[in-house]
Amino acid sequence: MNGPAAARGAGTLDAARAWDLLRGLRTEAEADVAGLLRGTDGRRRWRDASPEAHVLADRYLPLCLAGPRFTFAQLGQSLDGFIATRKGDADYVTGAEDREHLHRLRALSDAVVVGAGTVVADDPRLTVRACAGTDPVRVVLDPNRRVPPRRQVFTDGAAPTLWVVSADGGRGGGATDAAGMNGVDVLTLPDSAAFAPRRLVHELGRRGLGRVMVEGGGVTVSRFLHDGALHRLYLTVAPVLIGDGVPGLGFPGPDLMRDALRPPMRRAALGEDTLFELDLHTPDSGEPVDGEHHDAGQAGGEREQPVRHGDGQPLG
């Protein structure tokens, strides 16, 4: 006997079995069958589980049940707001617990999105290795085709890769086509305007990639945040001071503090690091479709989008 029914009759649920169950949950009914009972505070908890299993449910169940179309981002940075040193060294700003958290987020995603700069600088694999789970599709935003063809996302064959380029972006200094690349599909968008975050999310959804995680770098995450394309942001802050380097979040802000973003949030300890989970807002229901043009873009200028301001209370 396998699945939720087996879990219910197998005694105290440990962390490994809890994670296996969580990865398969997408509806409230499935959570009921898995033994996640809703308490008076509205949160679901396992009927009989280890403390570690309870932590996993509390942290990841809201994302599991967020629906088939959900866009979120993850970023790890220093106390003074940098994701790498001035020479680009990012190994490692945050600790091992945050890296495991990152891999769990990947395992709950259909696609993980990174900008060309991240692939050029870090040569990431973008696969699930620190926990059980299926690798997401790796989406590389490269309008000017400047990512070198020997980067791991193009050659290792560990997971499917979607290389997103622009028809008017030229050849740059990197890859020119997908010939010889292992498991790489090319998506050619008509122009730089098509790289607007909301349009990108819509295009990925058309390809069956509805649960989208924006992983990096700081410029790409900031563009998605500023364009109002994110439902949620996971921001991990490490107790380290870099002084100067590659900045994390950065976008046009208000003149007055009362107009600053203050979304509902909750926080948790990840070893010595602190995880902030920010509930941003639900993007407009009418997502961009073919032929629609927004001013904001991955390769162009950005415009401000209305973002709901919260009261800073923990997420329910």
Side-chain angles (χ1 to χ4, degrees), residues 128-246:
V128 178
R129 304 182 303 280
C131 66
T134 302
D135 295 322
V137 175
R138 305 176 291 192
V139 180
V140 179
L141 305 181
D142 188 15
N144 296 314
R145 308 187 190 206
R146 65 189 182 94
V147 177
R150 300 308 303 169
R151 287 298 187 262
Q152 293 183 96
V153 291
F154 292 150
T155 60
D156 64 11
T161 296
L162 182 63
W163 180 35
V164 187
V165 301
S166 174
D168 64 0
R171 292 296 179 183
T176 57
D177 56 50
M181 296 181 181
N182 194 356
V184 178
D185 191 12
V186 179
L187 171 60
T188 302
L189 299 180
D191 49 38
S192 59
F195 281 77
R198 287 172 182 248
R199 296 188 68 188
L200 283 167
V201 169
H202 173 76
E203 185 61 39
L204 293 177
R206 290 180 57 189
R207 301 173 74 93
L209 305 174
R211 296 170 62 88
V212 177
M213 172 183 170
V214 185
E215 185 170 324
V219 171
T220 301
V221 172
S222 297
R223 283 173 172 157
F224 273 75
L225 174 63
H226 181 57
D227 195 45
L230 295 178
H231 295 86
R232 189 166 299 165
L233 172 64
Y234 295 90
L235 181 64
T236 303
V237 179
V240 60
L241 299 171
I242 296 177
D244 68 345
V246 180

Side-chain angles (χ1 to χ4, degrees), residues 43 59 61 88 95 101 106 110-111 129 137 160 218 227 252 256 276 280 287 292 298:
R43 294 187 180 184
R59 184 168 298 158
L61 184 61
H101 167 66
R106 289 176 184 169
D110 297 328
R129 304 182 303 280
V137 175
D227 195 45
L256 301 175
F276 294 88
L280 297 172
E287 288 150 39
E292 289 185 356
Q298 169 72 16

Side-chain angles (χ1 to χ4, degrees), residues 34-211:
L36 282 157
L37 306 179
R38 190 179 298 280
T40 57
D41 59 358
R43 294 187 180 184
R44 288 183 175 272
R45 294 176 177 84
W46 301 110
R47 179 180 291 110
D48 182 13
S50 68
E52 295 79 10
H54 284 303
V55 168
L56 289 174
D58 186 62
R59 184 168 298 158
Y60 299 109
L61 184 61
L63 181 58
C64 294
L65 303 182
R69 293 293 185 96
F70 197 79
T71 306
F72 60 100
Q74 187 276 344
L75 205 62
Q77 65 179 42
S78 64
L79 277 172
D80 47 355
F82 297 104
I83 60 176
T85 69
R86 61 176 174 268
K87 292 190 175 182
D89 181 20
D91 294 337
Y92 291 100
V93 176
T94 58
E97 290 86 350
D98 183 53
R99 292 193 292 278
E100 182 181 38
H101 167 66
L102 169 63
H103 285 232
R104 291 191 189 279
L105 293 180
R106 289 176 184 169
L108 296 176
S109 308
D110 297 328
V112 55
V113 175
V114 292
T118 294
V119 181
V120 170
D122 300 339
D123 193 16
R125 295 169 65 183
L126 304 177
T127 54
V128 178
R129 304 182 303 280
C131 66
T134 302
D135 295 322
V137 175
R138 305 176 291 192
V139 180
V140 179
L141 305 181
D142 188 15
N144 296 314
R145 308 187 190 206
R146 65 189 182 94
V147 177
R150 300 308 303 169
R151 287 298 187 262
Q152 293 183 96
V153 291
F154 292 150
T155 60
D156 64 11
T161 296
L162 182 63
W163 180 35
V164 187
V165 301
S166 174
D168 64 0
R171 292 296 179 183
T176 57
D177 56 50
M181 296 181 181
N182 194 356
V184 178
D185 191 12
V186 179
L187 171 60
T188 302
L189 299 180
D191 49 38
S192 59
F195 281 77
R198 287 172 182 248
R199 296 188 68 188
L200 283 167
V201 169
H202 173 76
E203 185 61 39
L204 293 177
R206 290 180 57 189
R207 301 173 74 93
L209 305 174
R211 296 170 62 88

